[in-house]
Amino acid sequence: MLGGPIAGAPVDFSHGDVDAFRPSPGSFEAFSDGVATGGKQAYTEYRGDFAIRQAVAQRLAAFTGASVDGRDGLIITPGTQGALFLAIASTVSRGDKVAIVQPDYFANRKIVEFLEGHCLPVRLDYMDRQASAGLDLDQLEAAFKAGAKVFLFSNPNNPTGAVYSRQEVAHIAELANRHRATVIVDQLYSRLTYTGAQFAHLRAQTTDAAEILTIMGPSKTESLSGYRLGVAFGSQSLVDRMEKLQAIVSLRAAGYGQSVLGTWFNEPQGWLTERIRLHQGIRDDLLSVLRSTDGLTVRSPDAGSYLFPRLPPLSVPHLDFVRFLRLQAGVTVTPGTEFAPHCGSSIRLNFSQDHMAAIEAVKRLGELIERYRQ
Amino acid sequence: MLGGPIAGAPVDFSHGDVDAFRPSPGSFEAFSDGVATGGKQAYTEYRGDFAIRQAVAQRLAAFTGASVDGRDGLIITPGTQGALFLAIASTVSRGDKVAIVQPDYFANRKIVEFLEGHCLPVRLDYMDRQASAGLDLDQLEAAFKAGAKVFLFSNPNNPTGAVYSRQEVAHIAELANRHRATVIVDQLYSRLTYTGAQFAHLRAQTTDAAEILTIMGPSKTESLSGYRLGVAFGSQSLVDRMEKLQAIVSLRAAGYGQSVLGTWFNEPQGWLTERIRLHQGIRDDLLSVLRSTDGLTVRSPDAGSYLFPRLPPLSVPHLDFVRFLRLQAGVTVTPGTEFAPHCGSSIRLNFSQDHMAAIEAVKRLGELIERYRQ
């Protein structure tokens, strides 16, 4: 390590700070109501309480622009991670080919590998553009032609915050329909969209030919991660298979916790707008600080709370730099190699943090880049 | 269906009634404290909060009579179901042979089958004995000799409530050590033991040769199922593998919920004794009612809240009878075939219910048996 420590309040950018952005209003009260309801709420169907599923289905239909069947087409899971695992494990068997985006959320690849599936990477050329996410659609088509029966992606993209354009989503839908593929789309961050972003929901763009499953949950924008809640909705046959698997994986999302979903897409007037405004402010300030570093490139995220800057050439391996950043500057980030093998010079920051602490921490990042600049 | 309905308050014996036996004292307050703690409690390590693991480890060491390493040898999971899935999925690969007991908890077999493992059944001859559970130890040895690397069983046995004798447990330990097998023992009900029962903890009887994992949780005796909490403890290498898998299956047990484990094995003086006394009273009354039916045989459970009576020959298939029982008498039970292919004439009742309602429901069961008697 070069030089000494750089003083400042430690910031852990590996996940959002739910003390800076508090759980959405009424969540704890809803949980308390669930406990008071007693046995009926403790022992729900494996796919979740029927009344809660119905209420959430209506709101998700309004949000995504296509109907959701609360009885047969939606399952409540322990977090969106739970939904992702159940969806992939219900779809992918040993040797199956799965198209996944690079970069994308690391668990996508890890789950496919656990199931002994075979990943076919599809490149996302996300940098230096704003009108699209930059998916290599030719590569996606080639993956389908090579036998991929499943396409798995996050929109907004994790780690870059890129939102897929309406044209990209329509093209994905067209390819999926043509190849009768299953598409699992993780839309965890689709509520937190910034000025100018247009979010297109894949499920509103497809026919019955493709099997579509959409995954969402209140862990991020709503800061409800401590309750572990997610939902998956769409294909009824896939939801059926997921419920059978949930019965042996964890039985159900915690019964009392399910009550908290009553507050979701049901927050007080103006709450979401304000949360977006605050995050957009942090995003813009951090982008200014980051862009003052020579040779650092970063896409402005259209949605979500991730920044994925590519660092300039350094005198130490990037994984070492990530470690020094934590030890010398109190700044914890996620290394880019988690998201794609070719993203070794990038780092991911979840900027859902205390605004001022985040700015100071990113300044320390800039200082440390200068110290280790090649 | 023969005859009309039999009036009475419906009882669902497929799981315990947490309105009749309320969640253990302080659980909700502990959850509230977890929420108040904020981000630190929402985002714990994947294996669970360190301080909570340490506290639980100490209490489990005292309970089981062998040390538990809270840092490296214990993981908090979403229910004991979560622990069971992670443990088996971290141990069993395609084609692996696994010795499982018949009858035993149905998920054991289902998880092994999901993983494409191969079940080698070991018979439990549980009826008409009290001094042992009745495990066919020769068959277990044969399973190990045939290549089983894993033995999986519940103690107390689900569905019979049989507790393995000290001699049986010692014999299992000896065989596991000799064959260097992994043993996963689900002790979910091991706190709720009745007068005269002697509970022997496998983990206190083995050397390092065998890899032992014990699974417990507060969902049953403590009525905390609505929080989805379990723990697995023992083999460090197995706990490590389970945590890696948990990172892609559900991340962690709900962070706020983990706080509830602070109340576990830490209940007010006399609470457990009273809960046992009340369950023993229900057990004894239901046994009297059941045994008044000619040709019905049932073992008195040594622990837990399951009864597993074998019904006399009926004029209709047993699965139909189970359905008629629900439709005509408002009595929901779990059919014996869930637990072993040869247990088709048995049914499982979870008698953690309102005492009087349970007695009335079992009387209606007797009445319906007479109606359908062969």
Side-chain angles (χ1 to χ4, degrees):
Chain A
M1 279 191 281
L2 300 175
I6 311 176
V11 174
D12 183 352
F13 286 108
S14 69
H15 59 75
D17 180 354
V18 301
D19 297 327
F21 287 96
R22 307 281 307 159
S24 49
S27 47
F28 177 68
E29 291 73 13
F31 185 92
S32 307
D33 290 348
V35 175
T37 301
K40 185 182 164 304
Q41 193 59 50
Y43 286 93
T44 71
E45 290 178 64
Y46 293 146
R47 63 175 59 192
D49 179 77
F50 180 60
I52 295 171
R53 273 158 39 218
Q54 291 285 63
V56 168
Q58 272 199 325
R59 294 173 194 150
L60 289 171
F63 177 67
T64 62
S67 70
V68 177
D69 184 336
R71 178 184 298 274
D72 298 321
L74 184 143
I75 181 170
I76 301 173
T77 58
T80 54
Q81 184 72 43
L84 205 55
F85 178 80
L86 294 175
I88 303 174
S90 300
T91 311
V92 175
S93 300
R94 172 166 30 101
D96 284 352
K97 289 174 183 157
V98 182
I100 64 162
V101 175
Q102 287 187 342
D104 209 330
Y105 179 46
F106 42 80
N108 295 2
R109 174 181 52 80
K110 288 180 182 174
I111 296 171
V112 173
E113 286 172 355
F114 169 74
L115 297 162
E116 301 179 58
H118 184 60
C119 293
L120 302 183
V122 180
R123 186 76 168 252
L124 189 75
D125 186 15
Y126 59 93
M127 201 67 91
D128 300 323
R129 61 175 80 222
Q130 213 59 83
S132 70
L135 190 69
D136 188 332
L137 289 157
D138 292 337
Q139 218 179 357
L140 178 59
E141 181 161 20
F144 284 134
K145 284 185 174 161
K149 285 282 165 243
V150 183
F151 177 48
L152 178 58
F153 74 114
S154 57
N155 184 21
N157 174 258
N158 175 352
T160 66
V163 163
Y164 289 75
S165 69
R166 186 165 300 278
Q167 289 71 29
E168 284 176 305
V169 171
H171 204 136
I172 290 168
E174 190 272 315
L175 287 173
N177 284 338
R178 181 141 39 96
H179 294 277
R180 301 188 167 272
T182 298
V183 185
I184 300 168
V185 52
D186 171 0
Q187 298 193 174
L188 180 53
Y189 265 117
S190 55
R191 292 185 85 189
L192 199 73
T193 50
Y194 300 121
T195 311
Q198 298 281 332
F199 194 91
H201 294 274
L202 176 72
R203 62 189 311 275
Q205 309 247 351
T206 52
T207 68
D208 285 344
E211 194 170 53
I212 305 289
L213 189 85
T214 305
I215 293 173
M216 288 190 66
S219 287
K220 301 292 187 185
T221 305
E222 303 80 0
S223 300
L224 298 177
S225 183
Y227 293 99
R228 294 277 75 217
L229 288 165
V231 297
F233 51 105
S235 161
Q236 297 185 7
S237 76
L238 189 42
V239 165
D240 279 347
R241 301 196 309 269
M242 288 171 72
E243 185 180 40
K244 286 200 179 74
L245 190 54
Q246 179 137 294
I248 60 170
V249 169
S250 64
L251 292 185
R252 61 176 73 78
Y256 302 145
Q258 292 178 34
S259 300
V260 175
L261 287 175
T263 67
W264 194 39
F265 282 93
N266 195 24
E267 299 87 359
Q269 187 87 33
W271 174 86
L272 181 63
T273 311
E274 177 64 3
R275 186 146 285 205
I276 290 173
R277 190 185 68 76
L278 292 170
H279 279 85
Q280 190 158 327
I282 301 173
R283 176 194 71 166
D284 293 343
D285 284 351
L286 296 192
L287 283 171
S288 295
V289 177
L290 287 168
R291 285 175 173 156
S292 68
T293 293
D294 257 10
L296 181 151
T297 54
V298 58
R299 172 177 174 144
S300 175
D302 310 306
S305 64
Y306 293 124
L307 284 164
F308 197 56
R310 188 181 296 153
L311 310 187
L314 300 175
S315 60
V316 294
H318 278 81
L319 283 175
D320 286 348
F321 180 76
V322 165
R323 194 157 52 84
F324 299 163
L325 185 60
R326 178 167 48 82
L327 297 172
Q328 298 194 286
V331 177
T332 304
V333 301
T334 309
T337 42
E338 288 285 303
F339 308 94
H342 62 273
C343 289
S345 61
S346 298
I347 56 175
R348 188 191 71 176
L349 294 80
N350 185 326
F351 63 83
S352 188
Q353 306 288 344
D354 177 83
H355 196 141
M356 288 306 139
I359 291 177
E360 292 307 314
V362 171
K363 283 182 183 165
R364 298 202 296 279
L365 163 64
E367 200 177 323
L368 217 66
I369 289 173
E370 297 313 327
R371 193 183 285 182
Y372 289 99
R373 187 183 285 280
Q374 198 175 64
Chain B
M1 278 191 281
L2 300 175
I6 311 176
V11 174
D12 183 351
F13 286 108
S14 69
H15 59 75
D17 180 353
V18 300
D19 297 329
F21 287 96
R22 306 283 305 158
S24 49
S27 47
F28 176 69
E29 291 73 14
F31 185 91
S32 307
D33 290 347
V35 174
T37 302
K40 186 184 163 301
Q41 192 60 50
Y43 286 94
T44 70
E45 289 179 64
Y46 293 145
R47 62 175 61 189
D49 178 77
F50 179 60
I52 295 170
R53 276 159 36 219
Q54 291 284 66
V56 167
Q58 272 199 326
R59 294 172 194 151
L60 289 171
F63 177 66
T64 62
S67 69
V68 177
D69 183 337
R71 178 184 299 273
D72 299 321
L74 183 143
I75 181 171
I76 302 173
T77 58
T80 54
Q81 184 72 42
L84 205 54
F85 178 80
L86 294 175
I88 303 173
S90 300
T91 311
V92 176
S93 301
R94 170 167 30 101
D96 284 352
K97 290 174 182 155
V98 182
I100 64 164
V101 175
Q102 284 187 346
D104 209 330
Y105 179 46
F106 41 80
N108 295 1
R109 173 180 53 79
K110 288 180 181 174
I111 296 171
V112 172
E113 286 172 356
F114 169 74
L115 298 162
E116 302 179 55
H118 184 60
C119 292
L120 302 183
V122 180
R123 187 75 168 251
L124 189 75
D125 186 18
Y126 60 92
M127 201 68 90
D128 301 322
R129 60 174 82 222
Q130 214 59 77
S132 69
L135 189 68
D136 187 331
L137 288 157
D138 293 337
Q139 219 178 355
L140 178 60
E141 180 160 22
F144 284 134
K145 283 185 175 160
K149 285 283 167 239
V150 183
F151 177 49
L152 178 59
F153 74 115
S154 57
N155 184 21
N157 174 258
N158 175 353
T160 65
V163 162
Y164 290 75
S165 69
R166 186 165 299 277
Q167 290 69 28
E168 285 176 303
V169 171
H171 204 137
I172 290 168
E174 189 273 314
L175 287 173
N177 284 337
R178 180 140 41 97
H179 294 277
R180 301 190 166 271
T182 298
V183 185
I184 300 169
V185 53
D186 171 358
Q187 298 193 177
L188 181 52
Y189 265 117
S190 53
R191 291 186 85 188
L192 200 74
T193 49
Y194 300 120
T195 311
Q198 297 282 332
F199 194 90
H201 295 274
L202 175 71
R203 62 189 311 276
Q205 309 246 351
T206 52
T207 68
D208 286 344
E211 194 171 52
I212 306 290
L213 190 85
T214 305
I215 292 174
M216 288 190 66
S219 287
K220 302 293 186 186
T221 306
E222 304 80 0
S223 300
L224 298 177
S225 182
Y227 293 98
R228 294 275 78 215
L229 287 165
V231 297
F233 51 105
S235 161
Q236 296 186 6
S237 76
L238 188 42
V239 165
D240 279 345
R241 300 195 312 267
M242 289 172 71
E243 184 180 41
K244 286 199 180 72
L245 189 55
Q246 178 137 295
I248 61 169
V249 169
S250 65
L251 292 186
R252 59 176 75 77
Y256 301 145
Q258 291 177 34
S259 300
V260 174
L261 287 175
T263 67
W264 193 37
F265 282 94
N266 195 24
E267 298 87 0
Q269 187 86 35
W271 173 87
L272 181 64
T273 311
E274 178 65 3
R275 187 148 282 204
I276 290 173
R277 190 186 69 78
L278 292 169
H279 279 86
Q280 189 158 328
I282 301 173
R283 177 194 72 166
D284 293 343
D285 284 351
L286 297 191
L287 283 170
S288 294
V289 177
L290 286 169
R291 285 175 174 155
S292 68
T293 293
D294 255 9
L296 182 150
T297 53
V298 59
R299 172 177 174 144
S300 174
D302 311 304
S305 63
Y306 294 123
L307 283 163
F308 196 56
R310 188 181 296 154
L311 310 186
L314 301 175
S315 60
V316 293
H318 278 82
L319 282 177
D320 287 348
F321 179 78
V322 166
R323 194 158 51 85
F324 300 163
L325 185 60
R326 179 167 48 82
L327 297 172
Q328 298 194 287
V331 177
T332 304
V333 301
T334 308
T337 43
E338 288 285 304
F339 307 94
H342 62 271
C343 289
S345 61
S346 298
I347 56 175
R348 189 192 71 175
L349 294 81
N350 185 325
F351 63 81
S352 188
Q353 307 287 347
D354 177 84
H355 196 140
M356 288 307 139
I359 291 177
E360 292 308 314
V362 170
K363 283 183 182 163
R364 298 201 296 281
L365 163 65
E367 200 176 323
L368 216 67
I369 288 172
E370 296 314 326
R371 193 184 285 181
Y372 288 100
R373 187 183 285 281
Q374 197 175 66

